[in-house]
Amino acid sequence: MEVTRQYYEFGLERIIFLLLVFTLLIRMEGMWGKWLTLTFTLLLFSLSLIYKWQTADNFSTVGGLFPVRDAYDYYQGAQTIIYGRDLSGSSTYRPIYTAFLATVMWIANGNLQMVLILLAILNALAIFCVSIEINRILENSLFSAIFLVFGYIFFRRFSGTLLTENLGFLMGNLTLFFLLRGAASQKLNHILFGLFLLTFGLNARAGAYLILPGLVS
């Protein structure tokens, strides 16, 4: 548990260590570099999930696993969708996220631990893709590592929960990926798809709505 704690309860020295590791990994050329970066990204995101299970963390969970409060409403709403019933309660306020969660639960055959693992993997993949894209455009592995590490520092609190931040963080990273790709390649379809994902994400998880008119302008 000591290892997982060190990568959940951060100190400055741990942040510097991770920045160094990911800077070196992202700087590696070829597929081996990308595969190693992806492997370490998945490992990092898994540590926060394992830590919460080891410590029975109670942030929106009971015993580090079972959802409570809003998270329970989304969980119950997702089960309702799977069984073909109408939504009720707080899940009606976030139908997009509830439908997304129902899809993940269906894929995981209702296994709650597998659902939480899949959510962590999806977010790790998304932030990995953005980090690689940043490095491709800026050719600066340090900037990419900063984005990846601080993205993890933000997400680790929501890892292991069924809160809407899971989908909001995922959509935010995918949005950034397509906007960066569109700006670099000057392809309007990538930019428009990125704006669509941003709109989708803001509907799934309420957030910084002013960013939409800001990007359009």
Side-chain angles (χ1 to χ4, degrees):
M1 190 171 71
E2 181 63 22
V3 173
T4 56
R5 184 189 65 80
Q6 289 180 4
Y7 290 94
Y8 186 85
E9 300 175 358
F10 271 89
L12 180 59
E13 72 286 349
R14 199 64 56 193
I15 294 175
I16 294 174
F17 172 73
L18 287 176
L19 288 175
L20 176 62
V21 168
F22 279 101
T23 298
L24 294 175
L25 288 172
I26 295 171
R27 183 174 294 175
M28 295 177 62
E29 298 180 355
M31 289 304 299
W32 272 110
K34 289 184 175 62
W35 278 111
L36 282 174
T37 304
L38 175 59
T39 300
F40 274 78
T41 302
L42 291 170
L43 176 61
L44 181 62
F45 273 66
S46 69
L47 289 177
S48 63
L49 189 58
I50 295 171
Y51 174 78
K52 290 196 172 185
W53 291 342
Q54 289 175 330
T55 59
D57 183 82
N58 290 321
F59 177 63
S60 289
T61 65
V62 173
L65 179 62
F66 300 104
V68 294
R69 297 186 291 276
D70 289 352
Y72 174 75
D73 288 337
Y74 302 135
Y75 178 67
Q76 187 179 47
Q79 288 184 315
T80 298
I81 291 176
I82 292 173
Y83 290 106
R85 300 172 188 157
D86 295 331
L87 291 176
S88 62
S90 299
S91 61
T92 59
Y93 304 141
R94 298 284 187 270
I96 293 177
Y97 174 71
T98 306
F100 166 76
L101 181 57
T103 303
V104 178
M105 288 175 58
W106 178 78
I107 293 172
N109 197 28
N111 186 312
L112 181 55
Q113 279 192 303
M114 184 56 64
V115 169
L116 298 174
I117 291 171
L118 288 176
L119 290 175
I121 289 175
L122 288 173
N123 279 285
L125 288 173
I127 203 168
F128 161 77
C129 290
V130 179
S131 300
I132 295 301
E133 187 67 14
I134 291 174
N135 185 58
R136 188 182 71 85
I137 295 172
L138 299 181
E139 296 182 351
N140 190 312
S141 56
L142 176 59
F143 286 171
S144 301
I146 290 173
F147 179 84
L148 193 155
V149 171
F150 280 90
Y152 166 74
I153 291 174
F154 168 81
F155 178 76
R156 78 192 194 284
R157 185 185 177 206
F158 305 103
S159 179
T161 74
L162 296 181
L163 294 173
T164 55
E165 280 80 1
N166 281 282
L167 184 56
F169 190 72
L170 175 64
M171 289 295 103
N173 279 301
L174 292 178
T175 294
L176 184 55
F177 173 82
F178 281 100
L179 290 179
L180 289 173
R181 177 62 62 92
S185 62
Q186 296 186 337
K187 291 184 177 180
L188 183 60
N189 58 331
H190 286 159
I191 294 176
L192 292 176
F193 187 62
L195 292 175
F196 165 76
L197 290 176
L198 178 59
T199 305
F200 184 89
L202 288 173
N203 278 278
R205 168 62 194 174
Y209 290 111
L210 291 179
I211 195 171
L212 276 172
L215 286 172
V216 172
S217 63

